[in-house]
Amino acid sequence: MGASIIDSSIFGNIFSTDAMRQVWSDRNRTEKYLDIERALAVVQGRLGIIPPEAAEEIVKNCDIDKIDMDKLREQTERIGYPVLGVVSQLNALCRDKLGEYCHWGATTQDITDTATVMQMREGLAIIDGELKAISDALAGLSRRYRDTPVIGRSNLQQAIPVTFGFKTAAILAGIERHRERLAQLKPRVLMGEFGGACGTLASIETGAMETQAGLMEELGLAQPDIAWHTVRDTIAEVGAFLGIVGGSLGKIAMDVKLMMQHEVAEVYEPFHPGRGSSSTMPQKRNPISSCYIHAAVSVVRQHAAALMDAMIADHERSTGPWEIEWIALPEAFCLLAGALKQTRFVLEGLEVDAAKMRANIDLTNGLVMSEAVMMGLGPYIGREYAHDLVYDLCREAIRTNRPLLDILAEHPEINVHLDRAALARLCDPANYLGQAGVMVDKVLQRAAGAGQ
């Protein structure tokens, strides 16, 4: 029974993915506890901190299939934490009371935090793959539409022409920065925890630091310089990363929604029969994936804020802020996975109407080329005077519903300097794309280098 949108049998694969749910599942989390207990026994047996036969027995029984999950649920409800229930069951599985050496010198939060880091490692690997696929899709659009004019918009108003490749390359540059951020944050955040009750490893008389180092080596995690039980910047950093990635996905979704409006109709989400239709209006083609992306990433940002709240922890072991992470972190990962999947779907199958893009540029009868005209006239009559003159002529074009080119060509202060042919060149959107192509090429080159 799924009560949340993430676990819903109906909505679950819209707002998340099976792969990310598996990462944060009860079974995988419990398996991580066992992986840590196994590694701890191996290291401590090797160091002579626990008897070798105890280490061997513990390792043999660190098997998720030997854990009674129903019993673990009951134990967790009674105790308040699942780790002690796992240790209790593991102890009972071992012969001759050798299981008493399980969890030697560790505390619940050591195992919980380290398991969380291992889950984050798996979740970030999924995100990394999706970001790479999204980057590839954006690169393909940027190459294909490098020189395709589309109107740039400012305050939802038509501004000046850009290219559709320029729009997608700007987003691509942001996605590539996210990939850089992910590579940079991994060494900081993929760090295990093993400090004992208050982080000092006082419970292990000899070999404490060697145990910690060996444990992290076994698990493939960084060794902390000092315990971080109540210093939660690394978890919050991951939350912030998820939030800003979601912001970029939301930007994509917002532009697609706006460009799918009937009055704009420049791009469309991929078509499938019946997708996006209305129960009452057969003509509609709603932006379904973009709506899901918008909703999911909005909640991810709230979870990022909650993870920052969890940083405000008391003393060496906290009373409540830690548990915020148990709620917010898995949901943030799962929702972002869904948003990434929907974004990839949209971009890989995006339908682009270049003819409609050009038609929309022409909607204003040339008014969107007023800056080009102003700059072209500037050397002859001064930029500021040219601005005021062109402004007045734009108002006249709007009032009379005539092409701006006609009005410009008739004006004596203008045609004395520029004939109609020269003005037509200034009013051609293809001639006022600036360095868009150069910038697109730079982004594509950088992205290609990062992918090697």
Side-chain angles (χ1 to χ4, degrees):
M1 179 177 66
S4 77
I5 204 79
I6 293 169
D7 295 320
S8 167
S9 61
I10 297 173
F11 290 106
N13 285 335
I14 289 174
F15 283 97
S16 192
T17 65
D18 286 335
M20 192 64 83
R21 272 193 297 272
Q22 191 279 328
V23 168
W24 297 98
S25 67
D26 288 340
R27 182 179 177 89
N28 191 50
R29 181 176 57 252
T30 306
E31 196 161 15
K32 294 293 181 286
Y33 297 158
L34 292 171
D35 289 342
I36 299 162
E37 298 292 358
R38 180 191 300 109
L40 182 59
V42 167
V43 171
Q44 292 183 328
R46 187 166 61 229
L47 292 171
I49 294 172
I50 66 173
E53 61 176 337
E56 183 179 344
E57 184 68 9
I58 291 165
V59 168
K60 183 177 72 174
N61 286 290
C62 283
D63 182 348
I64 187 64
D65 291 325
K66 294 182 179 181
I67 298 296
D68 184 333
M69 297 300 286
D70 289 332
K71 182 178 180 181
L72 180 58
R73 184 190 69 243
E74 295 169 2
Q75 292 171 312
T76 303
E77 289 173 355
R78 183 177 68 254
I79 300 165
Y81 307 100
V83 170
L84 187 53
V86 171
V87 172
S88 176
Q89 289 194 40
L90 182 54
N91 189 357
L93 288 166
C94 295
R95 63 176 175 83
D96 302 330
K97 296 188 177 181
L98 292 173
E100 294 290 346
Y101 289 100
C102 173
H103 200 68
W104 198 260
T107 192
T108 291
Q109 191 168 353
D110 290 336
I111 308 302
T112 304
D113 281 349
T114 303
T116 297
V117 170
M118 294 168 72
Q119 289 174 285
M120 289 195 308
R121 178 169 60 189
E122 292 179 355
L124 291 172
I126 292 172
I127 290 170
D128 198 11
E130 288 297 290
L131 286 174
K132 175 63 167 64
I134 288 169
S135 175
D136 289 345
L138 285 166
L141 290 167
S142 300
R143 281 191 294 269
R144 192 174 311 125
Y145 299 104
R146 176 188 185 275
D147 302 314
T148 301
V150 66
I151 193 64
R153 295 177 171 95
S154 171
N155 291 317
L156 293 178
Q157 306 296 305
Q158 291 205 359
I160 66 170
V162 294
T163 69
F164 189 61
F166 177 84
K167 285 177 73 76
T168 56
I171 298 169
L172 170 59
I175 296 296
E176 285 298 307
R177 288 191 290 272
H178 291 323
R179 296 180 66 204
E180 290 176 11
R181 289 183 183 102
L182 181 51
Q184 292 163 358
L185 68 81
K186 282 181 179 179
R188 286 192 297 273
V189 307
L190 298 183
M191 173 180 63
E193 177 81 287
F194 184 72
C198 278
T200 63
L201 283 174
S203 56
I204 302 178
E205 190 172 344
T206 58
M209 297 306 293
E210 291 81 2
T211 296
Q212 187 189 74
L215 175 61
M216 299 313 154
E217 184 178 0
E218 285 285 326
L219 298 173
L221 299 174
Q223 181 183 7
D225 293 328
I226 193 169
W228 51 277
H229 289 139
T230 50
V231 182
R232 312 301 289 181
D233 58 291
T234 56
I235 306 296
E237 182 177 4
V238 171
F241 172 73
L242 301 180
I244 60 173
V245 170
S248 292
L249 305 184
K251 155 66 176 173
I252 295 169
M254 178 64 75
D255 279 359
V256 170
K257 285 187 292 182
L258 292 171
M259 296 174 81
M260 277 185 70
Q261 294 179 99
H262 279 135
E263 295 84 351
V264 181
E266 292 172 344
V267 304
Y268 289 97
E269 290 184 1
F271 175 76
H272 288 293
R275 181 175 177 83
S277 63
S278 165
S279 61
T280 57
M281 295 168 281
Q283 86 281 3
K284 290 188 71 181
R285 185 174 173 182
N286 292 318
I288 300 299
S289 289
S290 296
C291 293
Y292 291 142
I293 295 164
H294 191 143
V297 301
S298 295
V299 178
V300 171
R301 289 197 298 278
Q302 305 312 308
H303 285 328
L307 291 169
M308 292 181 190
D309 279 344
M311 294 178 68
I312 306 173
D314 45 298
H315 297 303
E316 282 61 57
R317 297 289 293 278
S318 67
T319 54
W322 183 39
E323 286 79 356
I324 294 172
E325 295 174 1
W326 303 5
I327 302 167
L329 192 64
E331 289 190 1
F333 266 95
C334 287
L335 288 169
L336 186 66
L340 286 162
K341 179 180 72 173
Q342 295 287 356
T343 302
R344 179 177 179 177
F345 168 78
V346 168
L347 294 175
E348 288 182 345
L350 191 70
E351 297 180 16
V352 178
D353 190 336
K356 190 60 189 286
M357 289 177 177
R358 178 56 199 245
N360 285 340
I361 293 175
D362 295 335
L363 278 175
T364 64
N365 280 333
L367 292 177
V368 295
M369 302 307 299
S370 62
E371 183 189 63
V373 174
M374 176 191 73
M375 296 303 294
L377 283 171
Y380 301 103
I381 60 176
R383 194 209 65 83
E384 187 172 353
Y385 183 71
H387 171 277
D388 294 342
L389 177 59
V390 173
Y391 178 88
D392 290 339
L393 296 180
C394 285
R395 302 285 76 73
E396 182 181 344
I398 294 169
R399 180 178 58 80
T400 59
N401 195 30
R402 295 177 62 206
L404 179 62
L405 175 59
D406 291 351
I407 293 174
L408 293 170
E410 294 170 357
H411 199 281
E413 289 186 81
I414 294 175
N415 58 29
V416 68
H417 300 294
L418 298 171
D419 61 17
R420 186 179 180 90
L423 290 168
R425 286 192 292 273
L426 290 176
C427 289
D428 185 349
N431 294 331
Y432 201 65
L433 298 174
Q435 302 302 308
V438 173
M439 295 178 187
V440 170
D441 291 343
K442 286 179 65 177
V443 173
L444 288 171
Q445 185 177 9
R446 183 180 292 274
Q452 292 176 354

